[in-house]
Amino acid sequence: MEEPVVARGTRARRALVRALRPLPGPPTRAAVLADTALGVFGALLLLSAPLYSALTGQYDAGQALLRGGLGVAVAAAAAVLARRHPPAAVVVASLASLWFLPGGLLLLCVAYLAGRRSPDARPVLVLAAVVLLFGTVSLLAGPAPPAESAMAALTLLLNAGPAWLVGAYRRQHAALTAAGWEHARQLRREHRLVAEHARSRERSRIAQDMHDSLGHELSLIALRAGALEVDPGLGGPHREAAADLRATAVTATEHLREIIGVLRTDAGPDPVTPAGEGVADLVERARDSGMRIALVHDVDTAALPPMVGRAVHRVVQESLTNATRYAPGTEVAVSIAGDGERLEVRAVNPVPEGAEGVPHGVGGGRGLIGLRERVRLAGGAFAAGPTGDGAWEVCAVLPLAGGSAPPGEAADEDEDTAIDRLQRAARRRIRGWSVALVAVPVAALAGLAALLLLAASTGIRSTTLEPEEFERLRPGTPQSEVEEVLPPLSVPFDARELAEGAVPEGAVCSYYRSSADPFDAEATFYQLCFSDGRLSGKGEAPIR
């Protein structure tokens, strides 16, 4: 029977340790500045209560100084604990809200920060238990009436609970946002890997094309060298030279086959395109399969350099494949034009209605990635996309003499940096609106509260008759002499608020407060009645 008790005690102790465990991570410079700002705000907030009491005469200078020092100490403790020990900071702020009237605002801020920073909700349950226990103790043993103690405990929960929920929502929202950006980075990395794979496959195809072209040429060299070797018109030394040439060509062909085999990274099937097929043959073969193609060209593609010629062939081949897959039944317009230095290949086909969102390119764009790599390695530029009038266009510009690959593909390596830059820009935009959405209402409410408080304080002071002045007034004193010591305004009581017969017949009465403190529970109201130009009576106002 002892083991369950021990287990329960162990779990309770662990829960308490987790609730009191500080949050990890040393504070940064920005965090220190934020905590300092919170401490200064809390200190000014808690100093306002004793300062107001001192100005209204409720406290003397020593009492105001003592309560002010206590308020600064409590605000500093809440600011220090708010980052590493949020539940403890909420407890301190709860005490401040009971000791100081403006402490409720500090409790709101600290409770929000606790929800924003606490990754675990269980300490909040411990906090709620502490608040309820404190309220219950105050209810049973406090000097205040039970109703006021119960209201104080309820106020603590209402101040801390919603603020903590808002902070917890902000923390979860921030976590979801960070997960979304991380997912975007992961997608970009996967896209980079897919693009690299597509480029690698295209390089393998280029290697195969070069093997077919160079192997054919080396085979012709070996064949012609073999013919020279058996020519009876050549002397012995020339036949030996021809034999060496043939052997060298055969060896070069074997080495080329080995190197190309090593360079090829794909294990796909052998190409089904006929070796040495030109663009015109490709178009005719596609037409035989049922495609409608309009071919316009003023360049002999058979006379192009191998890299340029194979790039032109691949651009047309991929464009026809995409049109067959994503826009079947449409007519494809293929044009090949040159100006003596550059060659432009363009393929345009209409996009069927409802197919605008379909990615063009084999394997979700891999074919276009391969084309871009093929054209880049040939020294050209490539572009593909919608034209704006309901068509899809593939365009490649290639130098007729070939060229080296231009730099720029390494930009993919900085995609994570681009995501970070986009994230920072989004944070800046959202931060401005968030600050405005919070700061403007808070500033408006604070300004309105300050104006109302100033107006109320001014109005109360204008209707306050000090008890000493009230005691010095004597009935029978002329009204003009009494008015010299009266406040400029009187409290406007309605007749329904006064007891029956409160105003003597034939008299005119005025009413004044005994204290300028609006929160003084012991303040009373004085009644001064005048008749025939003299003070006829004085006393406490008979309020119902």
Side-chain angles (χ1 to χ4, degrees):
M1 297 298 294
E2 293 295 331
E3 293 181 358
V5 175
V6 174
R8 286 197 298 271
T10 303
R11 286 196 296 269
R13 184 170 61 254
R14 289 177 179 175
L16 181 61
V17 170
R18 283 195 300 269
L20 300 178
R21 182 181 301 164
L23 297 181
T28 61
R29 180 180 300 178
V32 171
L33 293 177
D35 294 343
T36 303
L38 176 63
V40 171
F41 170 75
L44 294 177
L45 200 63
L46 300 185
L47 278 173
S48 62
L51 179 62
Y52 180 81
S53 298
L55 293 177
T56 56
Q58 184 178 1
Y59 290 157
D60 57 23
Q63 290 176 322
L65 184 61
L66 180 61
R67 287 186 62 84
L70 179 61
V72 171
V74 170
V80 171
L81 295 173
R83 185 164 301 277
R84 299 298 302 277
H85 301 273
V90 175
V91 173
V92 172
S94 300
L95 298 177
S97 68
L98 294 177
W99 296 339
F100 302 88
L101 183 63
L105 294 177
L106 179 62
L107 177 59
L108 286 175
C109 298
V110 174
Y112 168 80
L113 293 177
R116 182 71 173 82
R117 295 168 179 173
S118 299
D120 191 357
R122 282 171 292 187
V124 179
L125 299 178
V126 177
L127 170 65
V130 171
V131 172
L132 289 176
L133 179 62
F134 185 82
T136 303
V137 172
S138 300
L139 178 63
L140 297 177
E148 294 184 8
S149 298
M151 184 61 67
L154 181 61
T155 302
L156 288 179
L157 291 178
L158 292 179
N159 282 344
W164 180 87
L165 290 176
V166 173
Y169 168 77
R170 286 286 300 129
R171 175 175 53 81
Q172 294 176 357
H173 180 269
L176 289 175
T177 302
W181 284 108
E182 184 59 31
H183 182 61
R185 292 187 182 90
Q186 184 64 28
L187 290 179
R188 295 298 293 267
R189 296 188 195 102
E190 292 177 0
H191 173 74
R192 185 167 63 242
L193 292 176
V194 170
E196 183 59 34
H197 179 67
R199 285 193 287 265
S200 179
R201 285 176 60 88
E202 194 62 30
R203 294 189 190 104
S204 296
R205 288 174 178 164
I206 295 173
Q208 182 63 40
D209 294 341
M210 292 302 100
H211 170 267
D212 295 341
S213 177
L214 295 178
H216 178 67
E217 294 176 1
L218 289 174
S219 297
L220 291 178
I221 293 174
L223 182 61
R224 292 173 181 174
L228 289 175
E229 185 181 0
V230 298
D231 188 356
L234 292 179
H238 292 89
R239 288 183 180 179
E240 292 179 1
D244 292 340
L245 179 59
R246 177 183 59 79
T248 302
V250 172
T251 303
T253 303
E254 293 295 332
H255 289 171
L256 178 63
R257 182 179 297 109
E258 293 175 359
I259 293 174
I260 296 301
V262 172
L263 292 178
R264 291 193 64 181
T265 59
D266 61 321
D270 294 334
V272 296
T273 303
E277 180 186 53
V279 173
D281 298 332
L282 172 63
V283 171
E284 287 300 326
R285 186 160 55 86
R287 284 172 178 168
D288 292 341
S289 66
M291 289 191 68
R292 294 184 295 149
I293 305 173
L295 176 62
V296 178
H297 63 97
D298 57 3
V299 176
D300 183 10
T301 57
L304 296 174
M307 278 289 287
V308 177
R310 293 304 300 172
V312 172
H313 183 275
R314 282 282 294 126
V315 170
V316 176
Q317 181 187 40
E318 191 68 31
S319 300
L320 297 180
T321 302
N322 291 343
T324 302
R325 175 170 299 186
Y326 300 111
T330 60
E331 182 178 5
V332 184
V334 179
S335 64
I336 304 174
D339 59 0
E341 295 182 359
R342 293 180 178 83
L343 182 70
E344 183 183 85
V345 184
R346 192 181 300 272
V348 182
N349 65 274
V351 179
E353 186 176 355
E356 290 82 1
V358 178
H360 286 66
V362 177
R366 297 186 186 184
L368 296 182
I369 296 173
L371 282 186
R372 183 173 285 106
E373 180 68 7
R374 167 84 66 158
V375 173
R376 187 186 73 87
L377 292 176
F382 176 83
T387 60
D389 56 355
W392 180 270
E393 182 181 57
V394 176
C395 180
V397 179
L398 297 157
L400 284 176
S404 59
E409 289 302 306
D412 286 345
E413 299 177 358
D414 298 329
E415 287 178 349
D416 288 345
T417 304
I419 291 290
D420 293 339
R421 185 166 55 253
L422 290 174
Q423 184 179 6
R424 288 193 296 270
R427 283 177 177 173
R428 285 194 297 269
R429 290 194 299 268
I430 295 176
R431 186 183 299 118
W433 283 106
S434 300
V435 171
L437 289 175
V438 174
V440 171
V442 168
L445 290 176
L448 180 61
L451 290 176
L452 293 176
L453 182 62
L454 179 61
S457 177
T458 303
I460 290 175
R461 284 197 300 269
S462 300
T463 60
T464 299
L465 177 62
E466 298 294 336
E468 295 81 3
E469 297 291 341
F470 177 77
E471 293 295 334
R472 282 197 291 266
L473 297 177
R474 296 288 181 268
T477 306
Q479 184 175 354
S480 58
E481 295 182 12
V482 175
E483 289 179 347
E484 291 179 0
V485 298
L486 292 181
L489 300 176
S490 62
V491 179
F493 275 115
D494 190 90
R496 292 170 295 182
E497 301 179 55
L498 300 175
E500 186 177 356
V503 179
E505 185 176 355
V508 177
C509 298
S510 300
Y511 302 91
Y512 305 94
R513 289 178 56 90
S514 64
S515 173
D517 185 2
F519 307 104
D520 187 0
E522 299 180 357
T524 60
F525 291 91
Y526 299 139
Q527 175 179 275
L528 300 178
C529 296
F530 299 90
S531 61
D532 298 330
R534 292 182 178 276
L535 179 64
S536 59
K538 72 172 188 175
E540 292 188 6
I543 303 174
R544 292 185 179 180

